[in-house]
Structures are given as structure tokens and as C-alpha cells.
Amino acid sequence: MSTSTSIPSKMRAVQIMKQGGLDVLEDREAEVPKPGPNDVLLKVNKAGVNFIDTYQRSGLYKIEKFPYTLGQEAAGKVVAVGDAQKGKGLEVGDRAITYFGGGFAEYVSVPRARITKLPDAVNDTDAVASCVQGLTAWTLVRETYPVKKGDWVLVHAAAGGVGLLLCQMAKHLGAHVIGTTSSEEKAEEAKKNGAEHMINYAKENTVERVHQITNGNGVQAIFDGVGKDTWEDDFKMIARKGTIATFGNASGAVEPFAPLKLAAKNVKVARPTLVNYVYTQEEYEKTYAELFDLIAKGIVKFKIHGEYDLSAQGIRQAQEDITSRKTSGKLIVNVA
Ligand SMILES: NC(=O)c1ccc[n+]([C@@H]2O[C@H](COP(=O)([O-])OP(=O)(O)OC[C@H]3O[C@@H](n4cnc5c(N)ncnc54)[C@H](OP(=O)(O)O)[C@@H]3O)[C@@H](O)[C@H]2O)c1
């Protein structure tokens, strides 16, 4: 294995020993992982907070093995490369971004397939913002429903981490974007990021407004990370032959439904998850190459909501903030 000289044996990490409330988050001393032949060890500088961390902590998504280190994405410096991966494009000293897991720690060992070199122009903070939320937004508009020029699309939680990027990307692809959010301040933010119309669902009737805006036709695609609360209304706003992409559970998981529900308008429903779009090294690198290009051209930009410490208290605060609808954009964890 090629390594840099000063890798310690122990590190700081925020872990859970069981699933539950915010108090299950613990500051722990952990072993620095030993990368296998096809792995890469990253010294983490910045990590990112995502809504999924709250599902993993609460138990909505089952975790089988403890201790479990939360954190889906991390940017930093490569400090070791497994023997089978030497000379294959990633070397000790390279800056890199990984989408894998275990990011709330000083070091993370990840399969080579899920880590890629960072361009000099993308700093570690933006790299983290581009990762789970950026890759998710891009695969939603390219693969789940390939957005076309002239489409009308509805983005729920349009001022959120994924939401702001969906607004930018769908507009770039030529769509008219309608967004929903809970405050005027967030509505302004989404408009700055490409939403043509914003609906404040705390004050307005979303279904009525969508029909007003689209002359009663509805939208060709709905990108819904809210889940339970918005699901039924999605069917009232989707156009005939439209696609509902339900990709998250911010308000709770969508209940099972009968396929016959789709027949009324020949609707397609997708329930995608990022990992199945960027599973192989080829998929991860190709999707990231497209995203880096959008960043280099200034088409995709990141809004950083706030920064948090690598500590149980820091992560508790971040999880409280993201679940209480206070945030707009990316929440960063300072690790180094
Ligand atoms: N499938 C995948 O692979 C994948 C990948 C990444 C993210 N996701 C999902 O995408 C969604 C957005 O993730 P994110 O990290 O970018 O978070 P986020 O959108 O920044 O935060 C969640 C937003 O959801 C809205 N919301 C509506 N009802 C809510 C409720 N009952 N409780 C809390 N929030 C509520 C709030 O926005 P308003 O105030 O505007 O309503 C809130 O700010 C999440 O559901 C997440 O799980 C899925």
C-alpha cells in the first residue's frame, strides 16, 4: 500500500451505538480504518449533513452494525491507496470527494469506485455541497425524468439543499420551474436559483396555484423529497403521462398504494436512490465529470447554510436545524 507517513491509529468520530433520538449521537475515539487492496483512505477536511443522516439516526432506515459512523460524504486529502488501485488515477496527496459513509470522522476508508479527484477550482466545502445533494439533483433531472426544454416541473422544498440545485439544473435544461416552500425568505432564495414561480404552501393552496400557472394542464414532472405530506396532491398536479419522482421522506415515508392509481393519467412513479445511479466507478466518475463541468461553467453554484463542529453536539444541532425547516442550502461539518 502507498501511504503518507503520519497516519495515527486513533481518530475522533461521531457515532451511534443504537438508533433513536438525538441523544444517541456520541463523541467516540475510533480506530483509523485500514484500507483494503481496492480502497482509499481519505483524511477528511469537510463533511456534509444530509436529511438521510436523520433517518439513519432515528431508525427510519435500518442500520445493522454498530458502532456506526454517520456522514454520507467527505472531502479531503488521500493518505493511502490500496495495492490493487495504485497507478489508477488517484495518488497519495490528491484532493478527493467521496460519497460512501463514515464521513463524520477524521479518516474514512472507501472503495476506489466511490471516490474521485477534485479539480483545483472546486474547494472542499463546495465539493461536499456537490456530492449527495448535487449528484442526486443531477441524476433526478437526467435519469429519473430527463427534463426537456419547455417542460413545466414542480420542485417541492425548492429552497432546500437538493431543491436549490434542482431549480438551477431544471432551468438550465430549459424547463419552467415551479417551487414550493414554507416562507417568503426561502421563496426568494429559490427564485434566485432559477424558480420562475414560487408557492408558499403555508399561505397558499399549492394545487390551485399550479393549475393557475399551467392553465389547468399540470406539470410534466414533480420532484418530491417531502414524501408523505405532498404525495396525494402530487396526483392532482401531474399532467397526463407525467412523472412523479418521490425521492425522500422529509415529512415521513409515502404509504403503499395500488398501481391502478396511475391509470387515471398514465402517470409514471419513480422512487430513485442516488447509490443506484452512481454504483460503479464508471457511473460515479461520469456523473461527477458532468457536474464538475456545470460548476466550471457557473451553471451550478452552492449556497452554504452554515458550518458545524465535528462533535456530537455539532451534529445534534445540524440535525435539529435541517429537520425544523430552518435551513436553505448545504450544512457543512468542519472536521480538520
Ligand atoms: N433518494 C436519494 O438518493 C436522496 C438523496 C439526497 C436527498 N434525498 C432526500 O431529499 C430530500 C431533501 O434533502 P436535503 O438534504 O436537501 O434536505 P433539505 O431539502 O435541505 O431539507 C428538508 C426540507 O424539506 C421541507 N419539509 C417539508 N415538510 C417537512 C417536514 N415535515 N419536516 C421537515 N422538513 C420538511 C423543508 O423545506 P420547506 O420549509 O421549504 O418546506 C425542509 O427545509 C430529503 O427527503 C432527503 O431524504 C434523497
Side-chain angles (χ1 to χ4, degrees), residues 50-52 55 132-133 136 157 160-162 180-182 186 201 225-226 229 247-251 271-274 322-323 325 327 329:
N50 289 285
F51 221 94
I52 189 177
Y55 311 146
V132 172
Q133 293 172 340
T136 297
V162 178
T180 69
T181 189
S182 59
K186 281 182 162 186
Y201 65 81
V226 171
D229 287 357
F247 65 95
N249 328 286
S251 66
R271 204 320 179 180
T273 182
L274 174 60
I322 201 168
T323 52
R325 306 183 210 202
T327 65

Side-chain angles (χ1 to χ4, degrees), residues 182-193:
S182 59
S183 76
E184 297 308 317
E185 209 184 342
K186 281 182 162 186
E188 281 313 308
E189 201 57 57
K191 278 190 175 167
K192 277 194 245 157
N193 282 267

